[in-house]
Amino acid sequence: MTTTTPATPNESPTRSDVSHDAIENLSREDRAFPPSAEFAAQANATAALYDAAAADRIAFWEEQARGLQWEKPWHTALDWSGAPFAKWFDGGKLNVAVNCVDRHVAAGHGAQVAYHFEGEPGDSRDITYAELLTEVCRAANALESLGVRAGDRVAIYLPMIPEAAVAMLACARIGAVHSVVFGGFSAEALRSRIEDAQAVLVITSDGGHRKGKPMALKPAVDEAVAASPSVRNVLVVKRTGQDVEWTDKDLWWHDVVDAQPDTHEAASFDAEHPLFILYTSGTTGKPKGILHTTGGYLTQVTYTHRTVFDLKPDTDVFWCTADIGWVTGHSYVVYGPLANRATSLMYEGTPDTPHNGRWWELVEKYRVSILYTAPTAIRTFMKWGEDIPARFDMSSLRVLGSVGEPINPEAWMWYRRVIGGERCPIVDTWWQTETGGIMISPLPGVTETKPGSAMTALPGIGAQVVDDEARPVGNGGGGYLVLTEPWPAMLRGIWGDNQRYVDTYWSRWNGLYFAGDGAKLDEDGAIWLLGRVDDVMNVSGHRISTTEVESALVSHPSVAESAVVGASDDMTGQGIVAFVILREGVDPGENVVADLRNHVAHEIGPIAKPRQILLVAELPKTRSGKIMRRLLRDIAEHREIGDVTTLADANVMTLIGQGLDSANAED
Ligand code: WT7
């Protein structure tokens, strides 16, 4: 089945056939925003895309692939005979860097800015497509001069500086496989990723600027490389000028790269040539190296970037705030935007340096028109207060995007009103490191949006919500999100462990990719993501998603952010424990906890009323902004706190622990 719209009643059981929802559907949202006629009239996407993909999904993807420059056309669009190992555009040959850079310069757009770079200390630099081409060619020559060959793995451990994109593109240009490791990760995390991929080269810098200070990167590299015999050289970008130790493997980027010829003849590679590995944490210890390849990946990120963000290359300024250490940075800071000849903003630092309005100052300065960020950031800005963005001119914004977590309806409404001035469509985009590109999202100008819903699968993508027996749940039902058809940017496996790939994603139900997320369909068939199924709570036999209770809490005017966990309970199996951050300036008062409990009961029903609410100043999050509910469960169940090494801020757990005695609200 190649459906791109949610299940119709014909193929799904009605609600009464399903004895028990796999996950309860508790909340209801009646607000909806149809596209404005004005936006629709100029939108890149039209409803015809859905029809074209439904009529012939493979032909639809071939049409998208033809937007790229191929040296040799493919003979087979999709070979799924080795499922779940896909081959897309088999027989085709192309070069990713040529598609992202050279072809735009050749078409006369060399003077267009590819990146406006803004460093945290306020230094800035515009890089045109012509300059980017020169830099990528020099870097490609440099890698070759160091003996890096097609298929070799290169680890990249850099802050958000232009050299990060240049390094990725230089690898792609020569067919080397990059493995970007987020600069906030430890020496040990870097070492284990270098070892798993057997990287021959590490590209790093002395440091980067973060929260007003130079943050060193080189010491972690020194430690990791000392224990990594596969690494022959370390190429070091000078960013902060801080002191660094020097080993005999080390070379300065400016010494090696700047001395190279500024042209480079690019070879083409098979569509299935590996492009990159990106490690994502698994449920068991060892991180998974998610493998992506060339032709299908570039096709999907280019198509989704153009249609989901409505990118107009001549006029837009696109800002994806993700770090290149995450897949969002790969697909929507580097490959998608460059393939579409976008002008992007790249910002090195944090949103609160040197002041809480830094992002909005940048929107004003660069006239940013498309902003793509994460719910965790939006909720932080809600907490800081709307008077901060109100100080800046944000009239350039025209599309807003969200990714990484379910966005609570109230955070969505705030984003729309305060950041988008009520005029910008919001695209809530669901996808994963594994999917490579956006999978479920509204298309601005085409799809109606609802606050908190990612709406429907994009044209060309098959998604369903199913129950424990893989039966599609009807509209109004809740269950597990699955992908029903192979897609071009899908992962091609886990580096060095194909069995783990099959076991992790394809073993729960025959022929369906299980994403690990809970989801529900509303009465109109729109998809609502409910968080990771591992986080679902079981209260008196009801399977309740943490997302729904969190959204109910955030819909209270006093609440900025919340995290909900299930803690073991003698009576009910699990009881709901909520951690809540109040908005700035809200007086906790005597009744706030009782009010919040009643508010949840009122919004989604008494079954979801938290057993306990704890008022806290911070929540434990990973560096990519996801809440670490595992640690909160430790607190809620009065256990010793588990491993905190992936926490963005290790002090948070101490802070939460200290607040507990005073805020304990159990009744
Ligand atoms: C997980 C994937 C995709 C790039 C960033 C994260 C959650 C992602 C949404 C969304 C609800 C979302 C899911 C998914 N997620 N986007 N729009 N609504 N949940 O990549 O680190 O691989 O995480 O993030 O749980 O499975 P990732």
Side-chain angles (χ1 to χ4, degrees), residues 10-32:
N10 286 345
E11 59 207 18
S12 346
T14 57
R15 301 245 30 223
S16 54
D17 298 338
V18 183
S19 54
H20 230 304
D21 270 349
I23 302 175
E24 308 274 334
N25 177 357
L26 295 174
S27 64
R28 195 189 150 84
E29 174 60 64
D30 293 318
R31 292 169 290 195

Side-chain angles (χ1 to χ4, degrees), residues 108-336:
H109 299 288
Q112 181 182 333
V113 173
Y115 291 110
H116 296 292
F117 169 69
E118 174 97 4
E120 198 190 71
D123 57 317
S124 64
R125 185 180 152 202
D126 281 352
I127 298 142
T128 64
Y129 274 94
E131 288 163 345
L132 187 61
L133 177 58
T134 306
E135 299 238 348
V136 171
C137 286
R138 283 191 188 137
N141 287 321
L143 296 187
E144 285 179 344
S145 78
L146 296 173
V148 180
R149 297 287 172 258
D152 286 349
R153 276 78 57 206
V154 174
I156 298 178
Y157 186 69
L158 282 171
M160 277 300 277
I161 54 176
E163 286 81 357
V166 171
M168 291 163 75
L169 291 162
C171 288
R173 190 174 191 92
I174 66 167
V177 184
H178 60 68
S179 160
V180 181
V181 179
F182 174 58
F185 281 157
S186 66
E188 173 51 27
L190 176 60
R191 189 206 58 77
S192 64
R193 287 159 175 74
I194 290 173
E195 180 187 296
D196 188 69
Q198 290 292 295
V200 298
L201 177 75
V202 179
I203 304 178
T204 188
S205 69
D206 46 0
H209 296 279
R210 211 184 124 75
K211 290 195 180 291
K213 292 193 296 258
M215 178 197 68
L217 284 177
K218 183 73 169 38
V221 177
D222 293 344
E223 194 183 326
V225 169
S228 303
S230 65
V231 175
R232 295 193 302 257
N233 287 111
V234 178
L235 207 44
V236 188
V237 176
K238 189 175 227 163
R239 167 64 184 142
T240 59
Q242 66 200 112
D243 286 340
V244 289
E245 301 274 326
W246 210 245
T247 78
D248 54 9
K249 292 184 177 181
D250 296 343
L251 298 160
W252 283 113
W253 171 280
H254 56 259
D255 287 342
V256 181
V257 175
D258 294 358
Q260 300 293 326
D262 48 20
T263 56
H264 173 271
E265 179 120 18
S268 289
F269 297 95
D270 288 339
E272 285 297 339
H273 187 78
L275 178 63
F276 67 85
I277 306 169
L278 185 58
Y279 287 85
T280 168
S281 53
T283 39
T284 59
K286 196 174 167 221
K288 302 187 288 251
I290 303 299
L291 175 65
H292 284 287
T293 60
T294 297
Y297 171 81
L298 195 64
T299 296
Q300 189 172 336
V301 298
T302 307
Y303 152 69
T304 52
H305 179 256
R306 186 180 70 250
T307 54
V308 172
F309 300 108
D310 194 47
L311 190 275
K312 307 282 193 267
D314 294 325
T315 47
D316 275 317
V317 177
F318 178 78
W319 185 15
C320 167
T321 65
D323 191 278
I324 42 121
W326 314 122
V327 73
T328 313
H330 285 59
S331 301
Y332 300 106
V333 175
V334 181
Y335 294 116

Side-chain angles (χ1 to χ4, degrees), residues 327-328 404-406 428-433 517 529 532 626:
V327 73
T328 313
E405 278 179 289
D428 174 8
T429 63
W430 179 90
W431 58 296
Q432 309 179 297
T433 304
D517 284 341
L529 276 308
R532 306 293 297 169
K626 290 198 202 317

Side-chain angles (χ1 to χ4, degrees), residues 1 57 80 83-85 462-464 466 470 481-487 490 501-502 505-515:
M1 199 173 54
R57 203 175 58 86
W80 192 227
F85 298 89
Q464 285 276 14
V466 300
L481 180 68
V482 295
L483 301 171
T484 57
E485 300 290 346
W487 61 100
M490 70 192 292
Y501 165 64
V502 176
Y505 305 104
W506 297 94
S507 62
R508 186 136 169 188
W509 300 289
N510 199 16
L512 295 176
Y513 172 94
F514 177 42

